[in-house]
Amino acid sequence: MTTEPAGLVVIGASLAGLRGAEALRQGGYDGPLTLVGAEAHRPYDRPPLSKHVLAGELRPDATRLPERTRLSARWHLGNAVVSLDRSARRLSLADGTALAYRKLLIATGAEARPWPAETGGGLAGIHTLRGRDDAASLRADLLAGPRRVLIVGGGLIGCEAASCLRDLGLPVTLVDSNSAPLARALGTWVGGVIAACLRESGAVFRPGTQVLRFEGDAAGRVARARLADGSIVEADLVIAALGATRATGWLRGAGLMADPGGLTCDAACRVLDMDGAPCPDIYAAGDVARWPSRLYGDRLVSVEHWGNAVEQAAHAARNMLAGPDDQRSYVHLPAYWSSQFGINIKAVGLTEGADAVAVVQGTRASRRFLAVYGRGGRSIAAVSFDQARWLPAYAEAIAAGAGFPPILDATDQPRIESAAPGFPSPRVAARSTEAVHG
Ligand SMILES: Cc1cc2nc3c(=O)[nH]c(=O)nc-3n(C[C@H](O)[C@H](O)[C@H](O)COP(=O)(O)OP(=O)(O)OC[C@H]3O[C@@H](n4cnc5c(N)ncnc54)[C@H](O)[C@@H]3O)c2cc1C
């Protein structure tokens, strides 16, 4: 056991961990503060990894997050927490260090789902893209000039990667089990716009099928993929954009409600034990957290968005410093952005369960539009393609539970174009390849 006095410990030294630690200091906490991170790097930013870093515009090590306050803290980097003993209030680290804590903020995020070893996952040239080291290794392989890159999964990361690689002039094939990219996030009706962009960019888009396995050459490098439709795609570099699972494996045996889908919290960001009772001294924030969303009927939600990591970390830190009678609920409308094929995409709300979508500004044909999603007569989400000016107004309307279709002064359509959004059935979605940013 270290001789440090037990203080506040933040597990996960990335976006939510850093912003949470800063909020603890800004909130007046001046006792011992420790950050523990599995990666050897100081906190860095992930969104550029699938954009500017892949494009070669930014070095992987130039993504370090700005540290807003001079954080007086002890750092354990490159040293994962491997277990939590709640009764002894003790953490065990990979190098054998035992760390006592008074309160915890868990911000361990998510991990890229790897391609399974049984179907070729161990071959050289198969990459995932979650961290800075992944981006550096992928970038090195790209510089070697692959003959063809195969991207498995048409979620945001798969599409961003396809866009960058086409800009670099590399031959790209993208395989997705749905009929359009971004189907899980935005539905096939909106995703069809990105399908057209993909094809126009010169990428080969293979919808409605799956990669069954990869085969390698004599040197153990990936050479081809066998698809469920019987076809073969020759490829010497693969990006498996298969989504992410929450980094909760280290909590096995800790008696908390945790699984690969997330670490369940109450509305105040306190982690729940197996009986569903909030642990007064353990909080979670960021990609790892799953919490009841007041804006969505207290449904448990977990998101993989930058903005949530920042806001939830600050909120959890605030509650960590407050007394038991002053625990405030986290109320947050999820939001994210993406850039691909020269289009800035911004989205607010959760599209899950949407039964209609309406273009309220612009047109899909022009690829400049704002679309709102509805469920049971309520507006639940909105997305803009290069048309974000009125998005905040729709975000407010969504948070306020506005009806669908939404009638706002911001509507510039004589007649609102409305359609079925085309979300994949849950079975296809489960097999399909990517969660929103995973
Ligand atoms: C390539 C990519 C592009 C993205 N683009 C966008 C975008 O355009 N827009 C957007 O809104 N969002 C985007 N995101 C999502 C956004 O980056 C995440 O929501 C954000 O990083 C979440 O922060 P976090 O701190 O909760 O988790 P993470 O950033 O995943 O950090 C968790 C940290 O905890 C560490 N850790 C895990 N287990 C342990 C352990 N047992 N002990 C110690 N440390 C541990 C991990 O190593 C990691 O460093 C993108 C994500 C990726 C990967």
Side-chain angles (χ1 to χ4, degrees):
M1 175 90 72
T2 57
T3 50
E4 296 163 37
L8 306 190
V9 178
V10 177
I11 310 173
S14 180
L15 181 62
L18 174 66
R19 295 298 177 237
E22 288 174 339
L24 289 169
R25 286 293 187 225
Q26 278 159 0
Y29 175 68
D30 60 3
L33 177 62
T34 304
L35 284 99
V36 189
E39 293 177 88
H41 313 297
R42 290 288 281 213
Y44 61 87
D45 213 14
R46 292 177 204 273
L49 300 180
S50 51
K51 306 171 183 76
H52 309 288
V53 172
L54 266 200
E57 296 158 5
L58 197 66
R59 288 196 331 271
D61 59 0
T63 51
R64 193 166 148 179
L65 279 167
E67 295 178 18
R68 288 186 195 148
T69 53
R70 232 179 83 76
L71 195 61
S72 159
R74 187 178 166 85
W75 296 75
H76 291 266
L77 293 178
N79 200 0
V81 176
V82 291
S83 66
L84 160 63
D85 181 342
R86 289 195 292 134
S87 53
R89 286 176 174 269
R90 191 177 56 221
L91 298 164
S92 301
L93 274 51
D95 71 351
T97 303
L99 208 60
Y101 67 84
R102 193 158 65 76
K103 288 191 183 185
L104 286 183
L105 174 59
I106 298 179
T108 49
E111 293 159 348
R113 202 171 274 137
W115 188 267
E118 317 80 77
T119 49
L123 293 166
I126 301 184
H127 295 263
T128 53
L129 183 52
R130 178 81 201 174
R132 191 175 124 175
D133 296 343
D134 300 333
S137 128
L138 175 53
R139 185 73 200 144
D141 254 11
L142 291 175
L143 287 175
R147 284 194 313 280
R148 176 156 292 274
V149 182
L150 173 58
I151 299 174
V152 194
L156 287 163
I157 289 176
C159 289
E160 286 175 0
S163 166
C164 282
L165 301 198
R166 284 307 301 140
D167 286 346
L168 294 174
L170 293 168
V172 172
T173 300
L174 189 146
V175 176
D176 191 276
S177 53
N178 297 303
S179 61
L182 306 186
R184 285 189 64 196
L186 299 175
T188 53
W189 196 69
V190 170
V193 176
I194 294 298
C197 294
L198 249 177
R199 290 189 168 114
E200 263 172 39
S201 77
V204 178
F205 177 43
R206 299 286 303 272
T209 187
Q210 286 171 286
V211 173
L212 294 182
R213 65 175 180 278
F214 290 107
E215 293 169 358
D217 61 16
R221 185 174 182 90
V222 66
R224 71 194 67 81
R226 287 192 185 271
L227 270 54
D229 62 8
S231 63
I232 292 175
V233 177
E234 301 290 334
D236 52 350
L237 199 157
V238 170
I239 302 176
L242 305 173
T245 52
R246 275 34 184 204
T248 54
W250 63 279
L251 286 166
R252 214 170 291 116
L256 300 175
M257 274 199 191
D259 58 50
L263 176 58
T264 307
C265 305
D266 69 0
C269 309
R270 288 174 299 198
V271 171
L272 303 186
D273 69 16
M274 294 303 265
D275 298 323
C279 301
D281 301 330
I282 308 182
Y283 291 74
D287 283 12
V288 75
R290 180 166 55 195
W291 80 98
S293 167
R294 186 192 289 172
L295 299 178
Y296 290 90
D298 288 329
R299 194 173 90 215
L300 282 177
V301 301
S302 67
V303 297
E304 293 169 52
H305 306 330
W306 197 95
N308 175 62
V310 172
E311 272 188 39
Q312 198 172 25
H315 193 94
R318 184 253 164 228
N319 281 353
M320 281 171 84
L321 299 179
D325 301 330
D326 183 24
Q327 294 291 302
R328 295 197 191 145
S329 293
Y330 178 59
V331 182
H332 171 80
L333 185 69
Y336 65 87
W337 78 95
S338 171
S339 53
Q340 47 188 278
F341 305 105
I343 300 172
N344 277 316
I345 300 176
K346 290 190 175 178
V348 294
L350 298 174
T351 54
E352 197 183 319
D355 51 30
V357 57
V359 168
V360 294
Q361 299 245 309
T363 57
R364 273 192 319 152
S366 68
R367 295 178 189 165
R368 277 179 76 95
F369 62 92
L370 195 154
V372 181
Y373 294 80
R375 176 184 183 166
R378 198 195 127 184
S379 294
I380 56 167
V383 65
S384 66
F385 277 42
D386 277 342
Q387 183 89 12
R389 200 154 67 92
W390 285 94
L391 196 61
Y394 282 94
E396 258 176 50
I398 289 162
F404 180 89
I407 304 297
L408 289 184
D409 292 341
T411 298
D412 71 355
Q413 312 288 32
R415 195 180 64 82
I416 292 178
E417 183 191 6
S418 180
F423 284 99
S425 70
R427 238 187 74 227
V428 174
R431 268 192 285 122
S432 109
T433 36
E434 207 193 11
V436 168
H437 270 111

